[in-house]
Every structure is written in C-alpha cells, then in structure tokens.
Amino acid sequence: MFNLAVFFALLVVGLVRFFINRSKLQQLAKNLAGPKPAFLVGNLLQFPKDIGGILRRMVHYHEEFGADVVTWGIGNTLKFNISSTQNVEKVLMAKTVQKSLSYSFIEPWLGKGLLTSSGRKWFQRRKTITPTFHFKILEGFVEVFNRNADTLIDKLKVHDGGAEFDIYSYVSLYALDSICETAMGVQVRAQDDPENEYVRDVNRMTELILLRIFCFLGMFPTLYWYLHPNAWEQRRLVQRLHKFTDAVIWKRREQLMNGHQEGEVENCTESKKKQTFLDLLLCMTIDGQPLSNEDIREEVDTFMFGGHDTTSSAISFTIMQLALHQDIQDKLYMEFMSILKGSNSKTTNLTYNDIQEFKYLDLIVKESLRLLPPISYVGRKLTEDTELNGATIPAGQDIFIPIYMVHRNPKVYPDPERFIPERFADNGDQNRRGPYDYIPFSIGSRNCIGQKYGMLQLKMTVVRLIANYRVLPSETTGSVKLRTDLVLRPECGIPIKIVARD
C-alpha cells in the first residue's frame, strides 16, 4: 500500500512538472507562428514518412506561417525554424555556438570529427586542417579534376544524341574519384564501377539519419532507438562505410611508408604544402601524441562525406539548370570560347587561373547554390539566452536554419523561384542582399571549411562538360522532385539529354 502511494505521489509530481514546463514553452511559442500541435506527439504525425515529403511539409509551413516557424516535437519539445535575416544573424554569429542535438545522430558514422565536435577539440582540428585548403594546394588539384573530368566525358559518350539518362549518378562517381585522389592520395576508380557500394551506402545512411529525427523511437535514448529496424540497418551501413575509409587510410599509409610513387611525400618532415589532407592527419600530433586510427577515420569520414555528397549535388543541380535554360548555357559556352580562343576547346585542360576568368560562370554557380543549396539546413544549440521575435529563448534550445528558405526571401530575391544568374552581377540584387541572406556554406566560425575546394571542382566540372556537350532537358527535367536528409538531392535522379558539340 505504501509503495502504491509513493508511485501515485511521484506520478502527480511528474505530471505537475510536465504541465508547468509545457505552459512555459507555450508562452515562448506564442511569439512565433506555426501549425497546431497534437497533445504529446506535437506535429510529428503531420510529417509524411517519405524523405521528399518531409522537405515539402517544411516548405509549406514557411509559406503558410512566415520566415520564422515553431513546431512541436514529442512531449515538451519545441523546434524553432528560423529564416529571417535578423534572427539568422543572432544564431549563427553568437559568440559561442554548438551544433544541435540532431548532429549527434551522425556520430555513429562520423564520430566526433570536425562536423560534430565542439570546444577545444574542434578548435584544434579546425586550426590544423585549414592550411590544407590554401590556394597553392588547390592549384595542385586541378590536374586531378581535369583527368577525372576526361573520364566523365568519355563515360557520357554512350548517351550522345540518345535518350534521357540520370546525370546525378555519373557525377556522384566522378566526385568520389576526385575526393579520394585529391584529399586522400589514393585512386579508387569509382567511375569504372557504376554500382559502387560506397555511394549507395552514403545515400542510404543520410536517409536513415533524417528518418530517425522524425521517428518516435529515434528521439528517445539510444537503447530504445536500437529496437527500431532502421537502427539495425544503420549499424550494417556504418560497418561497411568504416571498412571503406579504413582501406583508404591504410593504402595511403603504405604509400607513405614505401614512398613508391614518384613525387609522393615519403615522411612527415616534408613541407605541409606537399601533403594531402590524409597525409596531414597521419602526421598530426596533439599535445605531443599522434592521432589514433579512430581519430583519423572520423576526420576522413567527415571530409569524404562533405567533399563527395555535397559536391555531387551542387554540380548536378547546376547542370540541370543549364539544361533548363538554354540561353544561359549558350552565354556560358561563349564565355568559354572567348577565354580559351585558339585552342582545342574539347580537350583543353583548364588551369586554376583560367577558372578565375569565368565571370559569368561565377554568377551561374552562385545562383544555382542559392536556389538549390546542397546543405539545405543547419542546426545550432543556443549557449546563452537569446531574444527572437520578442521572446527570450533559453540557452540549450535547438534552433534550425533552413538555408533553402533563407535563399527564397522575396524581399531580397524578387521572383525567388526563377533561375536568374544576373542577381549576383554588380548591378543585381546586391543592394537588397546582406551577408546573412546568402549562406550556401553557412557563416560564422562553423562555416564550411572546404568551400573553396568545392567551388573549384564545381566550376571546373561544369565548364568541361559544357565544352564537350550541349546539355538538353528531357520532358521531366523541369519537374524533378527534391528530398533533403543531410544533403539536398533529387528523389529519383536528374534526367537530361546530351549532344556532342562540333
């Protein structure tokens, strides 16, 4: 009898605390519009189960309720989705920032690498890795991009003048070849393996991470999440992904030890300017101690994901836009012919300096990244109380920044759904646009460390492709559906046609 009384007393206390806390959150939620939640489950049941449907639901909420939207999660949890300029600045430019809880769901795969770590570990890694993106090192990557682009162009010949095909699958393999060779110093020849397991596993892994965010069990402690069938699949994927990166690491380690490749760095006493990203990790010491194999793998996994998946989407979506806008494609081709006049345009390898001369290409790429940013949202955890729309949001609250919606602000980008590269010209929308209205690589201390690498590869790939083929739309190119997990990508590929240029 006594135990029963204690149980009911604890139950009453728990319910009182639950409703007091819920009342406080309801007061916070009044300052932002959002969909009406159901009791306990919040807005969770309003989201479709398919990945593309989740993106479309969030876009619908912003269109209905405005730039800043609040939704409810399971129990007493609020999710603030902020895309207004003033609030984006407050969140991303705070003195100290942390990644949101959702990033912890990536840790089984990426560990505590640069993307997910914080504090002293993040600062040390960021400071040490940054020099690997010096422009002198990027110049050395150009030869690899050209060679792998030659392979891509050759693989596409089977589609010359033929039916539609999915360009995304080709670009994804090309990007994997490029990131492994430039950053890891090893060749995997992914373009010779159309059914590459790593590419498939990465795509599925990112899907599972998003599905966990919108899964009832997924938001509970790890023990409960592991009861879900997706958790079993995720563990199998993690094992295969780690096996792939382990193989890359050991292959490069053997090369460095044997020094059998002419011109390779043979030891850690060589200049860092000659080292790849992986070389630097293998030679790095922190507090006098070398990185463990696990430390190296988590950074390699992070960089492989960031340098492969996001770049694949950026390149493919830019090609799609050029297929849909033939006049813009013609202007880019004319710019190419003007810069490389007198040379064999189809086979000419571009240089780092050549790319800097493509001014119209720069506008095209910026507009493509505005309309379809590969990283469509980022999450941050407040480390101090912050005022948003008149409400004081307490420290510890997760805030989500939907970059996809930030880039669609009609006050900054008139007719925001149209592809208009001239927005970024000197006489374009720059008077309306502030530093927090265009953030394809995020902004602040946690911005994308590899953005210069990605931009160089994106520009070189697009130019080489357009130099060799006229890219044409198919009947369904203009109706490609999108989905976003960790990266914005097409639901079912990007169908285009190509015709070889004379």
Side-chain angles (χ1 to χ4, degrees):
M1 189 69 179
F2 174 77
N3 290 338
L4 187 61
V6 170
F7 171 78
F8 278 108
L10 292 175
L11 180 62
V12 170
V13 171
L15 289 173
V16 169
R17 292 182 63 181
F18 175 87
F19 283 104
I20 290 175
N21 187 36
R22 185 173 182 82
S23 178
K24 292 179 181 178
L25 293 176
Q26 287 174 329
Q27 289 300 314
L28 288 179
K30 285 183 178 180
N31 292 70
L32 287 88
K36 184 177 180 180
F39 186 65
L40 289 182
V41 297
N43 301 115
L44 184 66
L45 299 181
Q46 298 176 18
F47 284 89
K49 294 183 179 180
D50 64 292
I51 301 292
I54 292 172
L55 171 64
R56 289 188 285 275
R57 172 60 63 179
M58 284 307 305
V59 170
H60 170 74
Y61 283 160
H62 281 279
E63 291 174 345
E64 181 176 357
F65 299 108
D68 300 329
V69 176
V70 63
T71 58
W72 287 79
I74 297 173
N76 279 345
T77 58
L78 286 181
K79 297 183 183 297
F80 293 91
N81 302 277
I82 304 300
S83 66
S84 62
T85 301
Q86 67 275 15
N87 288 333
V88 168
E89 178 180 2
K90 289 177 182 178
V91 174
L92 294 183
M93 299 305 290
K95 290 181 180 179
T96 57
V97 294
Q98 294 181 358
K99 293 297 182 76
S100 64
L101 173 65
S102 58
Y103 284 79
S104 66
F105 299 158
I106 311 173
E107 289 181 15
W109 172 27
L110 303 185
K112 286 283 188 178
L114 198 61
L115 179 65
T116 56
S117 61
S118 59
R120 183 168 179 264
K121 179 177 181 179
W122 171 83
F123 179 79
Q124 286 180 325
R125 298 282 177 90
R126 177 90 181 196
K127 182 179 180 181
T128 306
I129 293 172
T130 295
T132 62
F133 297 99
H134 190 276
F135 80 91
K136 285 293 185 183
I137 294 179
L138 293 179
E139 283 182 338
F141 294 161
V142 168
E143 184 273 332
V144 176
F145 292 152
N146 273 310
R147 178 160 32 83
N148 286 322
D150 286 338
T151 302
L152 173 62
I153 291 164
D154 185 63
K155 296 291 184 183
L156 294 178
K157 285 181 180 178
V158 296
H159 300 291
D160 178 19
E164 69 175 45
F165 67 98
D166 174 25
I167 188 62
Y168 188 91
S169 59
Y170 282 90
V171 170
S172 185
L173 296 173
Y174 155 79
L176 181 57
D177 272 344
S178 296
I179 190 66
C180 284
E181 190 169 355
T182 56
M184 308 305 155
V186 299
Q187 295 182 354
V188 298
R189 305 190 187 283
Q191 294 186 86
D192 294 329
D193 178 19
E195 300 301 320
N196 187 275
E197 185 178 68
Y198 178 84
V199 173
R200 294 201 315 270
D201 286 351
V202 167
N203 289 343
R204 181 56 180 165
M205 185 68 184
T206 55
E207 287 180 357
L208 292 178
I209 291 169
L210 182 67
L211 289 174
R212 179 177 180 182
I213 295 174
F214 288 89
C215 170
F216 183 81
L217 285 176
M219 299 305 292
F220 281 84
T222 302
L223 176 63
Y224 294 97
W225 160 242
Y226 272 23
L227 298 175
H228 197 284
N230 285 353
W232 293 87
E233 181 183 1
Q234 178 177 295
R235 285 194 292 276
R236 291 194 298 270
L237 291 176
V238 167
Q239 290 177 350
R240 289 207 298 264
L241 290 168
H242 284 175
K243 182 179 179 181
F244 179 88
T245 48
D246 283 341
V248 169
I249 293 167
W250 281 108
K251 183 175 181 179
R252 184 58 179 169
R253 192 189 293 274
E254 289 180 357
Q255 290 176 355
L256 295 178
M257 291 176 64
N258 298 331
H260 68 274
Q261 290 189 352
E262 183 180 355
E264 293 283 7
V265 179
E266 297 186 15
N267 55 61
C268 294
T269 63
E270 298 287 344
S271 167
K272 286 184 179 180
K273 288 189 177 181
K274 298 180 181 179
Q275 294 177 304
T276 67
F277 172 76
L278 179 52
D279 296 341
L280 183 64
L281 294 176
L282 291 170
C283 298
M284 184 187 297
T285 60
I286 294 180
D287 297 330
Q289 298 296 319
L291 297 183
S292 68
N293 288 337
E294 184 177 352
D295 287 334
I296 293 172
R297 186 180 66 198
E298 65 189 13
E299 296 299 350
V300 169
D301 280 328
T302 297
F303 198 82
M304 289 281 288
F305 163 67
H308 162 253
D309 230 22
T310 58
T311 304
S312 298
S313 287
I315 293 171
S316 300
F317 283 133
T318 303
I319 293 170
M320 181 186 79
Q321 295 295 352
L322 292 173
L324 292 171
H325 302 86
Q326 292 292 305
D327 56 332
I328 293 174
Q329 183 180 161
D330 288 342
K331 288 181 67 174
L332 175 58
Y333 184 68
M334 290 175 61
E335 181 177 56
F336 173 80
M337 296 299 291
S338 174
I339 291 173
L340 296 180
K341 51 184 175 291
S343 62
N344 188 333
S345 60
K346 282 192 173 186
T347 59
T348 297
N349 283 339
L350 296 170
T351 68
Y352 182 86
N353 290 332
D354 287 337
I355 289 297
Q356 313 314 311
E357 295 185 42
F358 281 85
K359 305 305 180 185
Y360 191 60
L361 170 65
D362 189 56
L363 305 185
I364 291 172
V365 167
K366 287 179 178 177
E367 176 68 346
S368 180
L369 293 177
R370 179 196 71 81
L371 200 57
L372 297 167
I375 301 298
S376 60
Y377 73 95
V378 293
R380 297 291 185 266
K381 177 182 289 187
L382 298 180
T383 57
E384 57 186 9
D385 294 354
T386 304
E387 183 275 323
L388 299 178
N389 293 12
T392 300
I393 310 301
Q397 174 66 50
D398 280 353
I399 306 291
F400 295 93
I401 311 292
I403 297 175
Y404 185 89
M405 297 308 302
V406 171
H407 289 180
R408 280 167 165 72
N409 184 348
K411 296 179 181 178
V412 179
Y413 304 104
D415 203 357
E417 294 296 333
R418 285 188 60 198
F419 184 77
I420 309 174
E422 286 75 14
R423 296 182 196 274
F424 291 90
D426 291 340
N427 59 348
D429 296 335
Q430 72 273 20
N431 291 330
R432 301 188 188 94
R433 187 174 64 249
Y436 309 102
D437 295 316
Y438 182 72
I439 51 173
F441 300 101
S442 188
I443 197 170
S445 60
R446 300 296 299 241
N447 69 345
C448 175
I449 193 174
Q451 58 184 282
K452 291 182 180 179
Y453 174 95
M455 287 289 281
L456 177 62
Q457 184 180 11
L458 168 54
K459 290 179 178 181
M460 288 198 62
T461 310
V462 169
V463 170
R464 289 298 311 278
L465 187 64
I466 296 303
N468 283 267
Y469 297 106
R470 174 176 284 278
V471 181
L472 301 169
S474 73
E475 293 181 359
T476 57
T477 305
S479 56
V480 168
K481 290 186 177 181
L482 306 174
R483 66 179 177 89
T484 186
D485 31 67
L486 300 182
V487 174
L488 186 70
R489 63 179 99 237
E491 274 196 333
C492 302
I494 297 177
I496 63 167
K497 299 179 182 180
I498 58 172
V499 175
R501 294 189 185 272
D502 297 329

